[in-house]
Amino acid sequence: KKAEAPPTIRILVLGDSMADWLAYGLEEQLAETPEIGILRKHRALSGLIRYDQKSDTEWPKVARELIAAEKPQAVIVLVGVQDRQ
């Protein structure tokens, strides 16, 4: 369902593949609330706590840039599967 007006409240969801599922659930639950928009910014197979030198995702930098660009009213960070190492 396409919103007629852009959302006035934006929630940024960051993390790995589990964050993607969280964002999907939030979108589903908030489908009847068009003033709230979910911004999915996940990277599958990436960890937030343990930085892997092989990874191109440096989460602190990515988070700062996304927050500055998107200006969300709330940020949800999900520490997930890849952070059990």
Side-chain angles (χ1 to χ4, degrees):
K1 173 174 150 178
K2 182 158 173 92
E4 294 178 19
T8 56
I9 299 170
R10 291 175 311 282
I11 299 173
L12 177 62
V13 180
L14 298 173
D16 63 5
S17 57
M18 289 181 67
D20 185 37
W21 283 106
L22 173 65
Y24 172 77
L26 288 171
E27 288 171 344
E28 189 173 278
Q29 290 299 309
L30 298 169
E32 300 299 320
T33 314
E35 64 271 11
I36 300 175
I38 304 299
L39 305 169
R40 274 187 209 209
K41 302 295 180 178
H42 71 283
R43 299 261 167 69
L45 304 175
S46 67
L48 298 176
I49 294 174
R50 182 177 174 201
Y51 177 66
D52 184 359
Q53 295 296 333
K54 297 178 204 169
S55 172
D56 63 343
T57 305
E58 188 176 338
W59 276 110
K61 179 182 177 200
V62 170
R64 281 191 300 275
E65 291 171 355
L66 286 171
I67 291 168
E70 301 290 348
K71 298 184 182 14
Q73 283 68 36
V75 178
I76 299 172
V77 179
L78 185 62
V79 177
V81 176
Q82 299 299 321
D83 290 305
R84 292 186 55 195
Q85 302 173 20

